[in-house]
Amino acid sequence: MRTKPLAGAAVAVGGALALAFSAAPANAQTATTDGSNVTHSCARPTKAGEMACLALVRTDVKQPRSIGRHADPSGLGPADLQSAYNLAADGGEGQTVAIVDAYDDPNAEADLNAYRAQYGLGEADFQKVNQDGDASPLPTADSGWATEISLDLDMASAVAPKAKILLVEANSASMDDLGASVNTAVELGATAVSNSYGGGEDASEQQADDQYFNHPGVAITVSSGDSGYGTEYPAASQYVTAVGGTSLTKDSSDRGWSESAWDGAGSGESQYISKPSWETDATGTSNRAIADVSAVADPNTGLAVYDTYEQDGWMVVGGTSASSPIIAGVYADAGSPGDNPASDPWSNSDSLNDVTTGSNGSCDIQQLCNAGDGWDGPTGLGTPNGTDAFKG
């Protein structure tokens, strides 16, 4: 598997906390994709405080530069996600979904509107700001994170077409800069904030939790990771909805779709964050367990994405980078969040599709790495079946 190096400015640890997260989970595995050829869009973390985006790009699917009027690109599109997850085609009205990523994607708005035009979603209500909330100056452009940004914007639009989309670009991939961007997104009125990045756990994450993610009344979603069994931060935060991953395929069932745990989805028990009171079904654990819910992430059943910044346009992308903005969009579809959106699926698990097959590795507590009835690590409580599980 090839790893694309970061382009642009060097990554520095900024801010007062100077968080010291390790480079990757201690028990992390190589992202598993059942034989398909994929590449990580961003480099893996190599220094303290640095996060990596979690987009996985298929390299064995060649898309045409332009798509015919009556054809669609390879990969799942908005209608597929709306069908699989029982969502309305006009959801998200009156809500703002924020996408937090590092560096700048110069083509973000144009690429998003190209994606939306392809699927008849209309022009986006879109705003892009830096981590201070200003339109300029923007961070250094980076091609790897630009692909992540395109994935996130496209998935939020696919699931919540009527929502306003706010892109907040951090100066770097440090937790301090990304965390400051989360705060900015909330200050600018986001009701759901998607974060498709992560790094290994460290005791200093407890400081980050209260400084960056404690926002009552705002749904904050975070990807669980793409390296199989093993925990990452900020997915381990007690204040966020940690989003795992599935493989999603059409079938002949009444639902029309089947899902199993994706073997690359991150899961596990946090080393440092205590178990929230509402996390009731993660038996055998004393600390925060990951994930809460899930959505499609397997690159083999990946999503169509449009990105032209040092890319050719249409591509197929997966990873839990896809599932986080999908779930953020579902929160937007559900309307204004309650006081503690992360707890809502735990109170309404009957309104989710329970994913009962698949595994993401080996572990001592089988529930943490094997899908089964009820809650499990790789897929959480399940995937959306409408919006009832995401209402306060």
Side-chain angles (χ1 to χ4, degrees), residues 240-294:
V240 310
T241 301
V243 186
T246 68
S247 302
L248 175 68
T249 56
K250 288 185 178 182
D251 67 9
S252 59
S253 66
D254 290 341
R255 179 186 172 193
W257 300 86
S258 62
E259 284 181 282
S260 61
W262 174 47
D263 58 4
S267 69
E269 181 181 4
S270 173
Q271 301 175 64
Y272 304 102
I273 304 297
S274 298
K275 179 185 290 190
S277 60
W278 40 263
E279 195 176 76
T280 55
D281 294 341
T283 57
T285 61
S286 57
N287 283 349
R288 168 76 159 123
I290 302 167
D292 296 305
V293 294
S294 55

Side-chain angles (χ1 to χ4, degrees), residues 1-6 30-31 33 36-44 53 55-62 311:
M1 179 176 294
R2 296 182 294 108
T3 300
K4 180 188 296 183
L6 282 172
T30 301
T33 57
S36 70
N37 295 315
V38 301
T39 183
H40 289 281
S41 177
C42 301
R44 308 304 291 168
C53 77
L56 296 174
V57 180
R58 287 277 294 270
T59 60
D60 59 341
V61 178
K62 301 301 181 184
Q311 301 291 343

Side-chain angles (χ1 to χ4, degrees), residues 159-365:
V159 173
K162 297 295 186 181
K164 177 180 178 178
I165 307 296
L166 170 65
L167 172 60
V168 185
E169 296 181 331
N171 292 339
S172 79
S174 77
M175 185 67 259
D176 284 327
D177 285 344
L178 289 161
S181 300
V182 173
N183 289 343
T184 292
V186 175
E187 291 169 3
L188 292 179
T191 52
V193 183
S194 176
N195 304 268
S196 295
Y197 55 84
E201 289 202 85
D202 186 273
S204 55
E205 69 194 45
Q206 297 172 81
Q207 302 171 44
D209 233 20
D210 284 322
Q211 184 163 348
Y212 300 135
F213 296 104
N214 185 8
H215 294 290
V218 179
I220 301 176
T221 64
V222 179
S223 304
S224 70
D226 293 346
S227 298
Y229 175 66
T231 57
E232 291 190 1
Y233 189 82
S237 168
Q238 62 182 310
Y239 300 118
V240 310
T241 301
V243 186
T246 68
S247 302
L248 175 68
T249 56
K250 288 185 178 182
D251 67 9
S252 59
S253 66
D254 290 341
R255 179 186 172 193
W257 300 86
S258 62
E259 284 181 282
S260 61
W262 174 47
D263 58 4
S267 69
E269 181 181 4
S270 173
Q271 301 175 64
Y272 304 102
I273 304 297
S274 298
K275 179 185 290 190
S277 60
W278 40 263
E279 195 176 76
T280 55
D281 294 341
T283 57
T285 61
S286 57
N287 283 349
R288 168 76 159 123
I290 302 167
D292 296 305
V293 294
S294 55
V296 58
D298 185 353
N300 285 290
T301 63
L303 296 309
V305 171
Y306 192 76
D307 174 23
T308 63
Y309 183 65
E310 299 186 10
Q311 301 291 343
D312 291 333
W314 290 105
M315 56 180 65
V316 176
V317 189
T320 53
S321 272
S323 53
S324 177
I326 288 171
I327 295 300
V330 176
Y331 272 111
D333 291 344
S336 299
D339 289 340
N340 187 9
S343 70
D344 292 338
W346 291 84
S347 302
N348 301 285
S349 59
D350 289 346
S351 298
L352 295 163
N353 300 305
D354 191 12
V355 181
T356 60
T357 60
S359 173
N360 67 349
S362 300
C363 58
D364 292 335
I365 302 174

Side-chain angles (χ1 to χ4, degrees), residues 103-127:
Y103 303 109
D104 179 40
D105 176 2
N107 300 350
E109 184 171 14
D111 286 350
L112 174 59
N113 280 321
Y115 175 89
R116 293 175 65 101
Q118 176 65 37
Y119 293 107
L121 303 180
E123 188 167 322
D125 182 356
F126 176 80
Q127 181 183 10

